[in-house]
Amino acid sequence: MSLEDRLFERRYQKIHEIEALGFATYPRKFDYTHTAGEIRTNYGPLSGEDLEARAVQVRVCGRLMTVRRQGKAGFCHLQQQGERLQVYVRKDEVGNAAFELYKKLDAGDVIGVEGPLFRTRTGELTVRAHRLSFLAKALLPMPEKWHGLRDVEIRYRQRYLDLVTNDLVREVFVKRERIIQALRQALVERGYLEVETPMMQPIYGGALARPFQTHHNALDVDLYLRIAPELYLKRLIVGGLDRVFEINKNFRNEGLSMRHNPEFTMLEFYQAYSDYKDLMDLSAVLLRSAAEAANSGSPEVEFKGRKIDFSKLQRLSMKEAIVEFWPSDNTRPRPDDLNDPERVTTLVDIYNTTIGSTLPLPANASPGACIQALFEHACEENMIQPTLIYDYPVEASPLSKKKPDDPNWVERFEIYAGGMEIANAYSELNDPQEQRRRFEEQVDQRAQGEHEAHEMDEDYIRALCYGMPPTAGEGIGIDRLTMLLTDSHTIRDVVLFPLLRPEGEIGVAERLRGMDETTNNEEQHAD
């Protein structure tokens, strides 16, 4: 038997010993009067004399993080909602049974304490225990107390343990919720209605991505987990809901990376009677609000050792960005060079020679695809400060409205910060005939093996035939934005339960089964 198995068995035996002392091992509830945080907030400023004069009685509960026993007395620390509180236990104050319970407690156990507040000789705010309640047993040992949980694989797989032992991890997810609430509040204040759209869809759309597929048995139809809520939200615009938003889960059957998780969270919002320029100003407000919510009112954050200022949002056209971030002054083009299809092909060759490698482009790539590739390779990772890139090639934007003065470009923008994309917006295409034609182009691409191309969505075309007003729409990646605002360097650090490969080892359930078999054998032997 391994050391870990012996520790598990010993802790399991303690459950029966605690029960023999007269304590319920898994009680239904505990009526507490204060949380640990409330005690610290309300009574932390008081002196020991003030606490004694007020005779403040509390009932508080939490997880034991440390236990220090010293003969007939001892100390322990409870943790609740990220706050720690010391408890002092004396045998002559809690009684024999409760003190025996205290002697059997392990780090990780969950208990309740009742008693007055006081300050120790060192001045630490402490609960003097008069009663102890046992609430749950930690059968598995906690990580070493001084270093916390460091193994990345375990941290992501056992997020519950990560949250218990790493205060900074808990703070990331507290900030994530503040970010979401700030975005929600800013939109509601501007007359937006929060809605919900289907996660299972008969036709996926709204983005260029591969879907996850499932099957509905009762209807005997294949369905897809949504890759984006866009086409449903725009149906609502047709229906007269002029400003709508959804904070939604999307699913894309793609690879894993520092910035990609197959399940991710987006904020998408749509505003009727508007174009993409209207959303540029709103985006600046939303990003600043989120940054201030996560960082105690400051729009400045640190990400990978660099200061990022969300009070500013630089604006560049895609052509201007390519020129700005071109890797060599000697070969730097002019923005007008990107208007000439033949010149674009030549620029790709020049760029490849300059960087000493070859851009990944399909054979016979269109000028727009070449421009998009140049932008992604030359610009994206270099945009550290918040930067809005506007006007995109039509080939990369099948749902965007064309620019009136140049049909090769569409009214679209993306926002970058920290070297990654965090938002995407455009003036929505509302011409049903043009939308049908673009869907047909996507269908042709799909037939040629492009798995991320759109399918034809007849109902969406029908909705457009009833008339959709001029509309602008935008999506903001909550996970990536949270990465930036919490200085988290991988998306797995801001997703509570990121997707991982299944475990291959024998789990805790097998150990519990072994404990049950041992207990049953002992009972049969006693009979």
Side-chain angles (χ1 to χ4, degrees):
M1 181 183 292
S2 69
L3 175 60
E4 190 173 356
D5 287 335
R6 289 198 299 271
L7 288 172
F8 186 91
E9 181 178 359
R10 175 61 188 131
R11 288 191 175 208
Y12 188 85
Q13 291 172 351
K14 284 185 179 180
I15 293 178
H16 302 294
E17 296 170 4
I18 290 170
E19 191 173 27
L21 291 172
F23 293 91
T25 50
Y26 292 100
R28 288 177 173 79
K29 64 180 295 185
F30 181 82
D31 289 320
Y32 61 89
T33 59
H34 302 76
T35 65
E38 289 170 344
I39 291 173
R40 287 203 162 279
T41 299
N42 296 336
Y43 305 109
L46 299 183
S47 66
E49 291 78 8
D50 289 336
L51 290 172
E52 184 176 0
R54 295 191 184 192
V56 178
Q57 295 284 327
V58 298
R59 284 173 56 86
V60 63
C61 50
R63 186 180 297 276
L64 275 177
M65 301 306 291
T66 63
V67 184
R68 305 195 314 274
R69 286 179 278 266
Q70 303 167 344
K72 296 182 180 181
F75 290 91
C76 57
H77 278 91
L78 290 180
Q79 178 171 290
Q80 184 188 32
Q81 296 180 345
E83 295 284 350
R84 292 197 182 192
L85 184 65
Q86 182 168 264
V87 177
Y88 178 59
V89 183
R90 284 178 59 95
K91 182 177 181 178
D92 59 357
E93 291 184 340
V94 298
N96 292 335
F99 196 75
E100 285 301 311
L101 166 67
Y102 172 68
K103 289 164 61 176
K104 296 182 184 299
L105 295 175
D106 297 297
D109 290 354
V110 183
I111 66 168
V113 179
E114 181 178 349
L117 293 175
F118 77 106
R119 289 196 179 275
T120 62
R121 293 177 183 175
T122 60
E124 185 169 352
L125 184 65
T126 305
V127 181
R128 182 185 297 274
H130 287 175
R131 293 184 62 184
L132 292 180
S133 299
F134 184 75
L135 303 179
K137 185 67 182 174
L139 296 173
L140 295 171
M142 303 293 286
E144 202 278 320
K145 65 181 180 180
W146 300 115
H147 300 293
L149 185 59
R150 297 293 182 87
D151 188 296
V152 172
E153 175 76 9
I154 296 177
R155 285 187 51 228
Y156 297 148
R157 197 176 296 281
Q158 300 178 30
R159 183 66 85 186
Y160 41 87
L161 192 58
D162 192 21
L163 291 167
V164 168
T165 58
N166 292 328
D167 292 340
L168 292 179
V169 171
R170 184 182 186 278
E171 185 61 24
V172 165
F173 291 101
V174 170
K175 287 185 176 182
R176 179 188 173 103
E177 179 59 19
R178 291 175 188 161
I179 291 165
I180 292 173
Q181 292 300 332
L183 294 169
R184 174 180 279 119
Q185 181 179 349
L187 289 171
V188 170
E189 288 175 351
R190 288 161 176 79
Y192 280 81
L193 177 69
E194 186 169 7
V195 298
E196 294 177 295
T197 60
M199 285 191 178
M200 293 192 299
Q201 304 175 352
I203 299 175
Y204 64 91
L208 300 178
R210 296 186 68 173
F212 289 96
Q213 185 173 347
T214 186
H215 186 80
H216 192 288
N217 292 331
L219 295 177
D220 192 25
V221 295
D222 289 334
L223 296 170
Y224 302 94
L225 295 182
R226 71 177 172 203
I227 60 174
E230 176 171 337
L231 300 185
Y232 284 90
L233 290 172
K234 288 194 286 193
R235 285 172 169 93
L236 298 180
I237 295 290
V238 173
L241 303 182
D242 289 347
R243 295 190 175 196
V244 293
F245 77 95
E246 182 174 10
I247 297 172
N248 56 79
K249 284 288 187 182
N250 294 328
F251 308 85
R252 297 182 184 177
N253 199 349
E254 58 190 13
L256 302 171
S257 78
M258 304 286 277
R259 302 176 184 178
H260 296 87
N261 193 62
E263 176 184 354
F264 61 97
T265 305
M266 290 282 290
L267 162 66
E268 286 211 21
F269 53 97
Y270 291 81
Q271 182 171 311
Y273 308 103
S274 305
D275 66 7
Y276 73 144
K277 293 181 180 178
D278 295 303
L279 296 190
M280 292 181 182
D281 294 333
L282 176 57
S283 298
V285 172
L286 292 176
L287 294 178
R288 177 166 186 158
S289 297
E292 291 175 346
N295 293 280
S296 303
S298 173
E300 291 189 0
V301 301
E302 183 172 303
F303 182 68
K304 294 185 178 181
R306 293 185 172 185
K307 294 288 186 182
I308 299 179
D309 187 356
F310 279 92
S311 69
K312 305 170 185 176
L313 185 59
Q314 182 183 17
R315 301 184 188 187
L316 295 170
S317 71
M318 179 175 282
K319 290 180 284 189
E320 290 171 340
I322 292 172
V323 173
E324 173 79 17
F325 295 104
W326 193 266
S328 171
D329 290 336
N330 295 331
T331 59
R332 191 184 308 277
R334 299 170 302 167
D336 288 345
D337 291 337
L338 295 163
N339 292 327
D340 183 345
E342 294 183 4
R343 179 62 175 154
V344 167
T345 303
T346 303
L347 285 175
V348 170
D349 294 333
I350 294 173
Y351 185 83
N352 288 338
T353 301
T354 302
I355 64 173
S357 63
T358 302
L359 289 180
L361 281 167
N364 301 318
S366 67
C370 292
I371 291 172
Q372 183 76 23
L374 284 170
F375 167 74
E376 291 174 356
H377 195 275
C379 305
E380 286 192 1
E381 293 187 356
N382 293 313
M383 291 183 287
I384 305 303
Q385 295 303 318
T387 305
L388 186 151
I389 304 297
Y390 62 90
D391 295 350
Y392 277 63
V394 67
E395 295 91 335
S397 310
L399 298 169
S400 306
K401 185 171 287 189
K402 292 180 180 179
K403 291 181 67 65
D405 55 344
D406 190 344
N408 295 318
W409 297 82
V410 296
E411 295 185 343
R412 175 185 176 188
F413 70 78
E414 290 182 320
I415 299 175
Y416 291 81
M420 59 184 171
E421 175 202 344
I422 57 174
N424 182 23
Y426 36 83
S427 299
E428 304 295 337
L429 180 60
N430 60 344
D431 178 345
Q433 186 71 4
E434 175 65 13
Q435 182 64 78
R436 179 195 59 79
R437 188 187 66 78
R438 294 207 204 168
F439 273 154
E440 287 175 346
E441 289 178 352
Q442 292 287 307
V443 170
D444 289 342
Q445 291 181 24
R446 186 175 181 81
Q448 296 171 19
E450 179 51 67
H451 297 292
E452 294 187 352
H454 270 275
E455 293 185 353
M456 177 65 70
D457 191 332
E458 294 286 356
D459 181 69
Y460 180 65
I461 298 294
R462 177 169 56 191
L464 292 183
C465 286
Y466 283 101
M468 186 174 83
T471 298
E474 182 170 349
I476 296 177
I478 298 296
D479 305 312
R480 291 186 182 181
L481 182 58
T482 303
M483 287 173 61
L484 286 167
L485 299 182
T486 60
D487 197 18
S488 300
H489 302 171
T490 170
I491 196 170
R492 292 185 175 187
D493 284 339
V494 299
V495 175
L496 277 169
F497 298 102
L499 185 64
L500 301 168
R501 293 184 186 277
E503 290 184 274
E505 62 183 36
I506 296 176
V508 175
E510 196 67 29
R511 287 188 182 142
L512 284 172
R513 184 179 295 111
M515 296 297 101
D516 286 342
E517 291 172 354
T518 301
T519 302
N520 291 337
N521 291 336
E522 290 174 351
E523 291 175 350
Q524 291 174 6
H525 182 72
D527 292 342

